[in-house]
Structure formats: C-alpha cells, structure tokens
Amino acid sequence: MPRTRPPSMADVAAEAGVSHQTVSRVLNGHAYVRDDTRERVLAAIRALGYRPNQAARTLATSRSATIGIVTTGTTHYGPASTVLAIEEAARAAGYFVSIAALNSRDSGAAAAVLDQLITQGVDGIVVVAPLVDVARLVDDVAPRIPVVVVAARRDTPEGSSVRYVAVDQRAGAVRLTARLIELGHERIAHIEGPSGWFDAIERSRGFADALEVAGARGVVIPAEGWSAQHGYDVGARLADEVAGGVTAVFAGNDYLALGAMRALWERGVEVPDGVSVAGFDDIDGSGFLVPSLTTVRQPFSRLGAAAVAGLIDAWGGADAPDAAAIAPELVERDSTAPPTR
C-alpha cells in the first residue's frame, strides 16, 4: 500500500528496532550512542526517507535552527562568495538560513533589518560587512541574539559581544608584494580598490608594509570601483608608470587586474615581458587567462565555516574571542616573472 503520511520518528524506531529516545539522541548528535546502534538508526532514516519535523523541534527546543544572513546587496565576487559559503556551512551543520539585504546605510535601516530577522525567530545572525560604514552600523545596534560580523576590521569595538571573522587581507597582500620583490621588482604599482572597503584598506596596508620592509619603491593608483572597467580606466596612468620604471603591478582584485592587462596590451605593453601583473581573489577563470593570472586565493569555505562556528560557540556560552583571521594562499602563475629591464 502507498504511504499516506510522511514517516515519523516512531517509524524509524520500529525499523531500527530501537526506542524513540534513541532515535532522538542520534538526530541530536548525542555522544552516548553505540556506533552499531547509530548506524542502524541512520540506515532506517535513509530507507524510510525520514525528515525531522522542524516545527516540532522548534517547539521542543525553543530554537528555530535558522541563521540570519545580512548582506549589503552587493554582487561583488568576495561578498557574494562569502554569503554562499556561509549558507553551505550552515546547511552542513543542520541549519537553515534567512537572507536580508541592507540597502540603506544608516543605523535605523540596520536596526530594522536585524529586528526583521529576530522577529522571524533566527537563532543568530551573520553580517557580511565589507564596507566600513556597514560594520559601524552594527556597533550602534544591540542585538538580543548572537552576531558574527565578517569584516577585515582592525578597530573592533572593545568589550563588544559581537564576534569578527575575516580572511587576512593584509597578510595576503604582504605575501604577494614580497613575492614580486623576490622576483627582482624594485618599483611596483598598486591599483587600490575603492575607498570605504575593508578589503581595499587592508590590501593597501599590506602592500605598503611589504615595500617598507624590503626598502622597495611603490606607487598607488586609486580605482573608483572593483570592476574590470575600473581597472581598464586606470590603464593610461598605469602605462605612464611602466614607462617611468614600474616593472610590476599588484591590482586590488582579479577584475582590476583583468582590465589593467587589457589597457596595457592596447598600449603595446605585454604581460609579463613588459610588466608583471597580479591580482587578488582567484576568481573562476583566472587560471585560464592568457597569460594565466598570479593571484591570492581566498578560502571562502573556511570563512563560511568560521562564521557559523562562531555562532555555535556563542550559543554554547563561550566568550567572544579576538577577531579570527584566516590565512589566504598565494597562487603563482604566468602573469608574473622577473623583470626584463
């Protein structure tokens, strides 16, 4: 006979030959369940296609198993990849997500978005805050539930219960710039990302720090955005700097690098023979450019997992630690080489 109702916990217990309480312990990850018993329960769950009743669990535990994610509404590669990584990490840990976009940058708007998620019953909130003013909005709001902010921020508020996680943008920039110097480049240009972005600020600081340590010279060329078009737009000045002795370029992200490479090519400057070019992020396809792009890879999966782990720690009552900085990875490809002049 076809099943007329979804399988219940009692059905799983009967299938596995265990008690209702044992099934509950397995579902909740209880440590005190024998391995063979746990496997029988999991096999019964798979065989029956059982899915926990989330509404019932919420009533029983006063927890919704839902995490709120606040975004700035940007589709830029870094923030968008971060949101996806948080969702994947939450799902892997058994949590749903509810996403809300913060499209207005004032404290009232931030409070409204956070209140909206709290009203929905989320157990905690992750704020993806790549912009300085967005992170500071969170300072003005006192959420009643645990909050993790994803931001490469140095001036984290002292004594705040908010937890911070980020990829160490400065360390990535230091490593990339130091590698260019190791290759023999003594004058390097940095295409700086737009003002007000934590990532741009920290990458620029890392560039300056590496130059200072090595005693190398550098020039900073501001870009008004993160796109390839913005990288292309600084091409004329960049070509002038190359003519003036710059032999390597560190672009604030891969799209800026892509646009800059096109602008240089149009002006007869080849990469890497005429100038080395490197980016940041390791976007999909950067290894298939001609030449393939040297860059810094951001471990977004680890970042998402760290954000969710921060909420889980907060639910367990752990004090907020210092901001967690996740190390990025230098990926060296064909767009960088020792200088030829």
Side-chain angles (χ1 to χ4, degrees):
M1 293 291 292
R3 184 180 292 276
T4 58
R5 61 173 177 78
S8 66
M9 194 181 295
D11 295 326
V12 173
E15 177 78 10
V18 299
S19 68
H20 181 282
Q21 289 81 0
T22 298
V23 175
S24 178
R25 292 190 186 100
V26 171
L27 290 172
N28 289 293
H30 201 288
Y32 301 108
V33 179
R34 290 174 51 182
D35 289 343
D36 59 338
T37 302
R38 187 185 307 277
E39 185 50 45
R40 287 210 318 276
V41 171
L42 294 175
I45 288 171
R46 291 192 293 268
L48 296 175
Y50 171 74
R51 297 291 183 273
N53 185 320
Q54 188 57 47
R57 292 181 70 179
T58 298
L59 288 172
T61 64
S62 299
R63 295 274 295 276
S64 66
T66 302
I67 293 171
I69 302 177
V70 177
T71 79
T72 56
T74 178
T75 58
H76 290 297
Y77 179 78
S81 299
T82 301
V83 170
L84 288 175
I86 294 167
E87 191 280 331
E88 290 175 358
R91 183 156 31 90
Y95 296 93
F96 302 101
V97 299
S98 180
I99 300 176
L102 178 61
N103 294 317
S104 176
R105 297 185 187 133
D106 62 72
S107 58
V113 168
L114 293 172
D115 282 344
Q116 174 189 341
L117 290 171
I118 293 171
T119 300
Q120 290 178 13
V122 300
D123 297 323
I125 296 173
V126 179
V127 182
V128 180
L131 292 154
V132 172
D133 55 0
V134 172
R136 289 176 178 166
L137 290 178
V138 181
D139 298 344
D140 299 331
V141 181
R144 303 185 299 275
I145 59 176
V147 173
V148 171
V149 175
V150 181
R153 183 181 187 184
R154 286 192 177 191
D155 63 330
T156 54
E158 187 175 351
S160 173
S161 62
V162 174
R163 296 161 185 263
Y164 283 83
V165 299
V167 173
D168 194 333
Q169 308 293 322
R170 177 187 168 279
V174 166
R175 181 68 191 94
L176 175 56
T177 307
R179 179 55 184 154
L180 293 174
I181 294 169
E182 289 169 2
L183 288 171
H185 298 282
E186 297 178 353
R187 185 168 172 80
I188 305 169
H190 174 48
I191 305 177
E192 187 178 54
S195 62
W197 288 72
F198 283 117
D199 292 355
I201 294 168
E202 289 302 299
R203 292 171 195 174
S204 186
R205 283 175 173 164
F207 172 70
D209 290 347
L211 291 179
E212 183 178 2
V213 168
R217 294 176 297 162
V219 57
V220 175
I221 304 174
E224 296 181 359
W226 290 112
S227 71
Q229 180 65 57
H230 289 105
Y232 180 85
D233 289 345
V234 303
R237 181 179 171 188
L238 190 58
D240 290 342
E241 294 292 348
V242 171
V246 163
T247 60
V249 176
F250 164 28
N253 76 352
D254 289 349
Y255 290 111
L256 289 172
L258 189 156
M261 289 167 69
R262 172 65 186 231
L264 290 168
W265 174 78
E266 289 182 355
R267 290 163 174 81
V269 181
E270 294 186 0
V271 177
D273 293 339
V275 64
S276 288
V277 176
F280 205 108
D281 279 340
D282 195 27
I283 62 172
D284 186 31
S286 61
F288 294 90
L289 297 173
V290 180
S292 56
L293 184 64
T294 293
T295 186
V296 175
R297 178 179 297 151
Q298 298 208 64
F300 290 111
S301 294
R302 290 177 57 198
L303 180 61
V308 173
L311 287 181
I312 293 173
D313 286 346
W315 294 328
D319 292 335
D322 293 335
I326 300 169
E329 175 188 357
L330 175 63
V331 181
E332 197 164 2
R333 298 193 179 108
D334 297 335
S335 65
T336 53
T340 57
R341 54 188 171 90

